Amino acid sequence: MITLLYFARLREALGTGQEQLAQPASVNTLGALRAHLAQRGGAWAKEMAEGRNLRAAVNQTVATADTPVSDGDEVAFFPPVTGG
Amino acid sequence: MKVRVQQEDFDVGTEIAAMRRSRPKIGAIASFVGVVRDVNDGDSVATMTLEHYPGMTEKSIAAIIDEARGRWEVLDALVIHRVGTLKPTDQIVLVIVASAHRGDAFAACEFIMDYLKTRAPFWKKEITPQGGRWVDARVTDDAAAERWQQPVSKVK
């Protein structure tokens, strides 16, 4: 299973902050995972669309579209950060 | 080197006193305190709620401190970032850097703050008269962080 986390505006738009996902056979990178989630349609299609300014982390390290994703990973999606 | 993410307020004087205690090699301590403003982007702000990514937050700030230590002489550093609901005049963030000399302390303190703004996973939601809104990331914060990517000379 992959643990998926969503934060801030994204969490509100998707209506969930966390879920467990059985890794689809076609998903082995962050980019593929994002495309897979976008196929859910509705808010998912809008928020996960390629043009959206979205950041992501795999196992709590900032990641890019080609970062590998494996079973057991923690993957987080979030808007650009605004702390400080 | 310490990182704390907490709901409670902090006291700058207490933290600085703790850092310099029994540390005679420290010759300079620089600190920065971020505070909640009552106006942002033209609207009055009643309260602000800070959300973060537990685990990654602490790791990312520790990595920023490590990077500062690679660039300047840093004898000790502390970052405290508050989360939860805050109101104008409340303290949000504290950065303290101790060094032998002021140049390193000033530069490392500013560097840590600039990188924290663009790399640490915190998000602010403001409550204004128009309702709640998530704060947008600022281009000026990206520019402030990027200027550190140019070569810098060590000031002693």
Side-chain angles (χ1 to χ4, degrees), chain A residues 34 44 47 62 79-80 84:
Chain A
R34 181 169 170 174
W44 295 89
E47 298 297 335
V62 170

Side-chain angles (χ1 to χ4, degrees), chain A residues 36-77:
Chain A
H36 175 82
L37 295 171
Q39 286 172 8
R40 290 174 171 177
W44 295 89
K46 181 184 170 196
E47 298 297 335
M48 294 289 170
E50 276 190 30
R52 297 291 279 191
N53 191 3
L54 206 59
R55 307 295 162 87
V58 174
N59 297 325
Q60 303 188 353
T61 299
V62 170
T64 54
D66 57 0
T67 301
V69 172
S70 313
D71 194 52
D73 283 350
E74 176 178 295
V75 180
F77 290 96

Side-chain angles (χ1 to χ4, degrees), chain B:
Chain B
M1 312 291 159
K2 288 186 286 293
V3 177
R4 301 201 318 248
V5 179
Q6 62 188 42
Q7 295 205 355
E8 305 78 53
D9 199 7
F10 51 79
D11 181 73
V12 186
T14 301
E15 301 299 342
I16 289 177
M19 187 176 286
R20 66 185 169 81
R21 191 170 297 134
S22 307
R23 301 285 296 278
K25 294 201 183 322
I26 292 175
I29 295 178
S31 65
F32 172 86
V33 177
V35 178
V36 182
R37 280 192 311 273
D38 66 352
V39 171
N40 192 31
D41 291 335
D43 293 311
S44 63
V45 175
T47 63
M48 166 183 290
T49 300
L50 275 139
E51 176 176 331
H52 76 120
Y53 180 176
M56 183 177 173
T57 312
E58 293 82 352
K59 278 172 61 176
S60 63
I61 297 173
I64 292 166
I65 293 174
D66 275 349
E67 196 162 341
R69 293 176 69 190
R71 292 181 181 221
W72 299 279
E73 183 195 16
V74 174
L75 294 175
D76 201 358
L78 168 70
V79 174
I80 299 176
H81 203 300
R82 294 179 71 192
V83 292
T85 299
L86 303 174
K87 61 183 189 308
T89 75
D90 282 350
Q91 303 186 111
I92 307 176
V93 60
L94 170 67
V95 178
I96 303 178
V97 175
S99 182
H101 304 283
R102 72 183 184 284
D104 287 42
F106 275 132
C109 185
E110 189 170 20
F111 170 89
I112 290 169
M113 198 56 221
D114 283 347
Y115 267 41
L116 185 153
K117 294 280 288 188
T118 54
R119 297 188 176 194
F122 293 97
W123 301 274
K124 288 179 184 141
K125 187 177 191 179
E126 298 170 336
I127 305 299
T128 73
Q130 286 76 40
R133 67 178 183 197
W134 291 97
V135 174
D136 284 329
R138 291 178 192 276
V139 174
T140 49
D141 287 337
D142 287 332
E146 278 165 15
R147 75 201 156 102
W148 294 104
Q149 288 168 21
Q150 293 154 12
V152 291
S153 56
K154 286 204 170 198
V155 179
K156 285 283 166 75

